[in-house]
Amino acid sequence: MADNRRSKLITAGVARSPNRAMLRAVGFKDGDFDKPIIGVANGHSTMNPCNAGIQPLVDRAMAALEAAGAKPQVFGVPTVTDGIGMGTEAMKYSLVSREVIADAIETSVNGQAMDGALVVGGCDKNMPGGMMALARMNVPGIYVYAGTIKPGKWKGQDLTIVSAFEAVGAFAAGRMNEEDFNGIERNACPSVGACGGMFTANTMSSSFEALGMSLLGSSQMASPDAEKADSAAESARALVEAVKNNLKPRDIITRKSIENAIALVMATGGSTNAVLHYLAIASAAGVKWTIDDFERVRRKVPVLCDLKPSGRYVAVDFHRAGGVPQVLKILLENGVLHGACMTIHGKTMAEMLKEVPAAPRAGQEVIRPWSNPIYPQGHLAILKGNLAPEGCVAKITGLKKTSITGPARVFDSEPACMKAIMAKKIKAGDVVVIRYEGPKGGPGMQEMLAPTSALIGQGLGESVGLLTDGRFSGGTWGMVVGHVAPEAHVGGTIALVKERDSITIDAKKHLVQLNVPAREIAARRRKWKAPKPRYAKGLMAKYMRLVSTASIGAITDSET
């Protein structure tokens, strides 16, 4: 077995005796001191269904690590529940928690010189936070996703948590009766597991298979099912082999493997948040990757999967249809996947996919063949223009129209916008602007699931544009543009928009434009004053001081 970091911590000179004494207190025996110490980052929480099923997975992984000759040591990792915090001040902590998770894992693993790390998480920011930590530390590691929730049912229809958000708008608009409104709320989340569509959690977990850092075929399993716990044990065994072979995250996370991950995101219709998170993961791994690379991949990868939020099916349907391995094999066969990339299995991606059929099986409609895609190109478009010279992200699938020019309806916070939507003050043809919700301005880039879902519930999803320096939930669809950079808080053009200004969003032209003369914009900029920070002390104030622009991932350890 390869030399390990722990041996230096435990056996170095005079430190040997007290270190061993402390470890004996937590169950180490004489023979254990020669075993690699594997940190198990446990994201279990009873506060949300995404993470409430994690403990059984951790138990299985711990037992498998022990049986494979390692000495596992568990530590806790915090999580924030997006679905519960959505639309409230609590939601500002969601993206911030990504950095906290990464820092917590780095602190625990490096602070105890552990030889490897198995990270188990479920809610949206658990995945990028954990992967950022693995990339930073560069000790052998693997990600174990807690699994997806099973779909809820109401009157024969599959439900996800987004169904409940959209029901709010529909009920308020008089388009849904109280029986259905209550029925959806009570049945939307029937089990433990993360949100069931190709929302952010399932987007990131599935992309980790493509990245090579999670067990192939494991990401879309339902959290309560036995195969999910089995995959946790198998992940543990794979990690022990990686420790033996000194296979590290930066051997796996490369520019080409990130391109594989983004190709998978495009093919499955994944979340806009993948843009933000992969910029951050690439930075942590020391890989050159920019916002323009997403557009490069988008142009050559079609959308192959009919998955919610804009499609028909949920994650468990995707898994039954062949899941991530099937999509990866299609991409490999058609020249848009780098098969030589290494995986945590110790084999290349092409080797891992050797036995997977080249085409999706007949009798299912979840995964389309390459010759019959849902859309000929990917769905996450990078737009630029005078409103977003650094770029912004639009999700353009599921739309009959991909452009809109209309009057700006301007709001300086998400709650102010939500109040106007619920009062039915937003009309077809409007372009809603929600600003001062960026990384610094929010702070924390709240997700705008509540207003976008309310607009859809009111029947305005196709006819109203929405532009923000905040983010969107993976469950969002419609004519929406997020991550506008520079953000309003630092004087980006979005801060200069006035009520009823004309704005154009055009996904085909990759344009987001304030239709106001340049001299008028310059005059407004001279008069603009930066707002007072919303937090003066504590975590959020610290985050505001450190966080970068969204166009490089809203990271807190930027070198620029």
Side-chain angles (χ1 to χ4, degrees):
M1 185 173 289
D3 187 31
N4 54 51
R5 306 198 304 167
R6 180 261 314 135
S7 63
K8 298 174 183 177
L9 180 74
I10 296 174
T11 63
V14 295
R16 174 177 174 171
S17 180
N19 284 343
R20 287 196 173 204
M22 293 187 74
L23 289 170
R24 289 185 192 281
V26 294
F28 275 64
K29 304 293 190 293
D30 286 346
D32 294 331
F33 294 108
D34 295 322
K35 298 176 181 177
I37 294 178
I38 304 297
V40 178
N42 184 354
H44 180 79
S45 170
T46 59
M47 186 64 188
N48 69 79
C50 315
N51 291 53
I54 285 179
Q55 191 58 50
L57 308 184
V58 169
D59 293 342
R60 282 292 301 278
M62 294 278 286
L65 287 166
E66 192 87 46
K71 192 63 179 173
Q73 298 296 292
V74 68
F75 58 89
V77 177
T79 186
V80 167
T81 310
D82 292 8
I84 294 175
M86 199 75 68
T88 73
E89 193 76 2
M91 188 61 198
K92 293 182 179 181
Y93 283 85
S94 171
L95 185 60
V96 178
S97 76
R98 185 189 73 178
E99 313 304 304
V100 174
I101 289 165
D103 292 350
I105 294 171
E106 180 187 351
T107 300
S108 295
V109 173
N110 281 352
Q112 300 299 309
M114 293 173 177
D115 300 301
L118 184 146
V119 184
V120 192
C123 201
D124 292 5
K125 306 313 171 293
N126 294 187
M127 274 69 71
M131 194 58 64
M132 288 161 63
L134 292 174
R136 277 188 206 164
M137 299 181 302
N138 203 34
V139 299
I142 193 168
Y143 202 97
V144 177
Y145 179 46
T148 184
I149 199 170
K150 293 185 175 182
K153 294 282 187 182
W154 179 248
K155 293 185 177 180
Q157 298 295 314
D158 281 350
L159 302 177
T160 68
I161 186 59
V162 175
S163 306
F165 279 95
E166 292 180 359
V168 172
F171 184 65
R175 301 173 69 238
M176 178 179 290
N177 62 40
E178 188 170 359
E179 178 195 6
D180 289 336
F181 178 72
N182 290 330
I184 289 171
E185 182 268 318
R186 290 170 178 164
N187 293 280
C189 297
S191 74
V192 295
C195 301
M198 192 49 67
F199 309 151
T200 303
N202 283 326
T203 295
M204 296 307 297
S205 65
S206 60
S207 74
F208 286 178
E209 289 189 45
L211 187 66
M213 287 294 293
S214 283
L215 208 66
L216 200 65
S218 66
S219 70
Q220 304 301 287
M221 297 172 177
S223 184
D225 289 352
E227 65 175 352
K228 183 71 254 186
D230 292 343
S231 78
E234 183 59 31
S235 297
R237 290 187 284 269
L239 177 57
V240 172
E241 288 302 308
V243 172
K244 289 179 181 179
N245 296 318
N246 201 30
L247 177 61
K248 297 178 180 179
R250 293 194 188 187
D251 300 324
I252 298 171
I253 305 173
T254 65
R255 180 172 170 82
K256 288 183 176 179
S257 71
I258 289 177
E259 186 165 320
N260 285 350
I262 300 308
L264 189 281
V265 171
M266 295 295 180
T268 56
S271 168
T272 54
N273 286 307
V275 175
L276 200 70
H277 298 328
Y278 268 100
L279 287 167
I281 291 167
S283 175
V287 173
K288 183 180 179 181
W289 188 266
T290 72
I291 194 169
D292 294 321
D293 285 312
F294 294 93
E295 183 60 28
R296 176 176 57 83
V297 177
R298 185 193 73 81
R299 291 175 180 174
K300 64 182 181 179
V301 179
V303 178
L304 298 173
C305 299
D306 190 6
L307 297 169
K308 289 180 180 291
S310 59
R312 293 178 291 167
Y313 296 102
V314 294
V316 291
D317 300 319
F318 181 40
H319 182 57
R320 284 192 291 265
V324 173
Q326 180 63 82
V327 175
L328 291 178
K329 185 58 175 281
I330 296 171
L331 299 179
L332 180 66
E333 288 288 302
N334 289 278
V336 294
L337 194 81
H338 300 288
C341 289
M342 181 53 61
T343 71
I344 191 63
H345 298 266
K347 298 179 180 180
T348 67
M349 183 61 74
E351 289 172 328
M352 292 302 301
L353 297 172
K354 186 177 180 180
E355 302 302 320
V356 178
R361 63 174 172 80
Q364 58 81 36
E365 297 180 340
V366 184
I367 304 173
R368 297 272 194 96
W370 182 271
S371 61
N372 184 30
I374 296 174
Y375 302 98
Q377 292 183 318
H379 63 300
L380 299 181
I382 304 303
L383 278 54
K384 292 186 177 181
N386 67 358
L387 267 170
E390 292 179 14
C392 55
V393 186
K395 193 172 188 178
I396 59 176
T397 50
L399 296 175
K400 296 173 184 175
K401 292 174 56 181
T402 55
S403 66
I404 186 173
T405 296
R409 305 300 310 281
V410 183
F411 303 94
D412 287 347
S413 69
E414 182 196 20
C417 176
M418 191 63 183
K419 185 177 179 180
I421 293 171
M422 298 305 288
K424 301 182 183 179
K425 293 182 179 180
I426 305 301
K427 306 299 181 184
D430 287 345
V431 178
V432 173
V433 176
I434 306 177
R435 61 191 182 188
Y436 295 105
E437 292 288 8
K440 290 181 180 292
M445 291 186 81
Q446 291 193 82
E447 292 182 350
M448 305 297 158
L449 181 59
T452 58
S453 296
L455 288 170
I456 289 167
Q458 292 182 11
L460 297 172
E462 295 274 4
S463 59
V464 168
L466 195 151
L467 185 76
T468 181
D469 52 8
R471 298 182 295 126
F472 295 112
S473 163
T476 293
W477 67 276
M479 180 59 70
V480 296
V481 179
H483 308 195
V484 169
E487 62 175 292
H489 188 82
V490 300
T493 307
I494 191 173
L496 311 178
V497 179
K498 293 185 177 181
E499 185 78 3
R500 300 294 175 178
D501 279 348
S502 173
I503 288 178
T504 295
I505 300 169
D506 193 321
K508 288 186 177 180
K509 293 181 179 179
H510 301 277
L511 179 69
V512 56
Q513 186 80 13
L514 175 62
N515 301 314
V516 170
R519 61 181 179 276
E520 171 62 19
I521 294 174
R524 293 180 188 181
R525 180 164 279 117
R526 288 192 293 271
K527 294 179 180 179
W528 178 84
K529 293 182 179 179
K532 183 180 179 181
R534 289 174 170 168
Y535 293 84
K537 295 192 70 175
L539 174 62
M540 301 304 280
K542 187 192 311 183
Y543 182 83
M544 288 182 71
R545 290 193 294 270
L546 294 175
V547 70
S548 76
T549 179
S551 64
I552 62 170
I555 55 177
T556 54
D557 59 351
S558 172
E559 295 179 5
T560 59

